[in-house]
Amino acid sequence: MERVILEAEGVSYRYPGARDDAVRGVSLRLSAGEVMFLVGPNGSGKTTLLRLMLGLLRPAGGEARVMGVPVQRWKRRALARLVGVVAQREEPVFPVTVRQLVMLGRYPHLGPLGAPRAEDRAAVERAMALCDVLHLADRWVATLSGGEWQRVRIARALAQEPRALLLDEPTANLDIRHEMEVFELVCGLAGSEGVAVLVVSHHVNLAARYGQRIAVLQEGRIRALGPPLEVLRRQVLEAVFGWPIEVVNWRGVPQLVPLKNNEVDPISREERER
Ligand code: ADP
């Protein structure tokens, strides 16, 4: 039976002093082993929605739940054992080694004395191996390249052995190989470990290939939610992103080609503007 891990039901939020809601009545459910991508233009509410689902913001309406329990009711430490997060921005400023940083992911699991046990050390080594950073274990985090740092942060989240993984732009600043490695890794974990994975990404084309479902946000609302072929349609994308886009079918997967001005024929431009 499918097990719902993360759930938002009609959640809304407005930042203090803001004129409009950043998130408006959003509902979605994420089951064990599922990969969902959250896409949408800048300012459409993606990061705010993640914060609501993590209980970092309290919704003005609706409810976010983790394993069926309202997120606000979880103790932070218990929640940290269930949900791993790779936030958008974080600089490697702490004077710690890679292994020490990944061990931080174990803190929600440590006993009352706080000393790592064999199982904690094993989880750290396993997470580092999965993220291909074992060879960096004794390096200071400040000396890592962008791609290495990103993989180390994902390893820290995996060391938590979470049921759900939330990633906000996990491949920003990564080159093609490292970007693909991150997607292969986190989306592979859904299949192999049954982790529910929710990824915010600007890479709609990769979302179409790695996501089982895609949620498209526009001005805080879900404009479309479903399998890539259903969701990534020209009319939806052009309206949401405000730019002419052609959708091509590549091996059964929709892929977007944003058009240059001289590639838009005048008749369809007229249609689009109508
Ligand atoms: P996205 O992640 O899709 O770029 P955000 O969730 O960051 O969108 O932002 C949604 C809206 O909320 C935007 O209009 C943004 O300006 C506003 N917003 C985000 N963070 C804050 C904040 N801390 N205070 C006030 N407004 C915010």
Side-chain angles (χ1 to χ4, degrees):
M1 204 184 71
E2 86 173 19
R3 174 102 208 239
V4 176
I5 307 287
L6 296 175
E7 209 174 353
E9 198 177 305
V11 291
S12 298
Y13 184 80
R14 180 177 298 194
Y15 287 99
R19 246 188 356 178
D20 296 308
D21 288 352
V23 167
R24 312 171 193 218
V26 167
S27 299
L28 54 82
R29 293 169 139 214
L30 199 63
S31 298
E34 194 181 9
V35 179
M36 186 189 284
F37 277 78
L38 215 48
V39 306
N42 297 330
S44 56
K46 303 179 295 293
T47 301
T48 306
L49 179 58
L50 284 195
R51 289 189 191 133
L52 286 162
M53 298 192 74
L54 288 166
L56 298 173
L57 297 174
R58 187 178 282 277
E63 191 168 77
R65 292 187 277 270
V66 174
M67 315 277 288
V69 175
V71 65
Q72 255 83 23
R73 278 215 237 133
W74 286 101
K75 294 223 159 55
R76 292 313 306 174
R77 195 176 152 90
L79 195 61
R81 285 195 291 261
L82 294 172
V83 185
V85 186
V86 179
Q88 201 174 78
R89 276 181 294 269
E90 182 187 358
E91 297 302 320
V93 288
F94 305 112
V96 292
T97 66
V98 165
R99 183 178 276 113
Q100 287 167 336
L101 189 101
V102 177
M103 182 59 86
L104 290 178
R106 290 304 294 175
Y107 271 87
H109 290 273
L110 298 185
L113 297 180
R117 294 156 297 185
E119 68 200 68
D120 300 308
R121 277 190 262 277
V124 166
E125 298 302 307
R126 184 157 174 264
M128 287 196 297
L130 275 172
C131 297
D132 194 21
V133 294
L134 261 181
H135 61 292
L136 304 170
D138 298 315
R139 282 265 295 273
W140 296 105
V141 291
T143 70
L144 301 176
S145 75
E148 291 164 345
W149 171 235
Q150 204 64 336
R151 297 208 306 282
V152 166
R153 295 174 64 214
I154 295 169
R156 179 182 55 191
L158 294 185
Q160 288 171 242
E161 298 182 317
R163 310 289 290 270
L165 203 50
L166 271 57
L167 306 112
D168 197 350
E169 291 291 350
T171 63
N173 305 320
L174 298 190
D175 60 32
I176 289 180
R177 186 187 125 198
H178 288 109
E179 171 163 69
M180 292 303 282
E181 282 176 354
V182 165
F183 280 119
E184 289 288 331
L185 170 69
V186 296
C187 299
L189 284 169
S192 64
E193 319 271 310
V195 180
V197 177
L198 183 61
V199 190
V200 169
S201 180
H202 282 298
H203 294 279
V204 184
N205 286 339
L206 288 178
R209 290 166 69 197
Y210 282 103
Q212 281 141 21
R213 289 192 296 154
I214 299 181
V216 182
L217 276 187
Q218 180 181 25
E219 294 173 2
R221 287 197 187 85
I222 294 211
R223 169 72 187 244
L225 171 65
L229 267 174
E230 280 176 27
V231 164
L232 301 182
R233 309 170 91 91
R234 199 193 88 190
Q235 284 95 327
V236 172
L237 296 167
E238 290 187 336
V240 168
F241 290 101
W243 192 263
I245 289 170
E246 198 157 304
V247 180
V248 298
N249 184 308
W250 187 78
R251 301 186 179 182
V253 181
Q255 293 286 286
L256 278 57
V257 183
L259 298 179
K260 288 163 57 179
N261 273 332
N262 65 4
E263 290 166 344
V264 185
D265 66 81
I267 294 171
S268 63
R269 187 196 303 275
E270 221 171 85
E271 267 173 25
R272 282 185 176 98
E273 283 168 2
R274 235 189 287 130

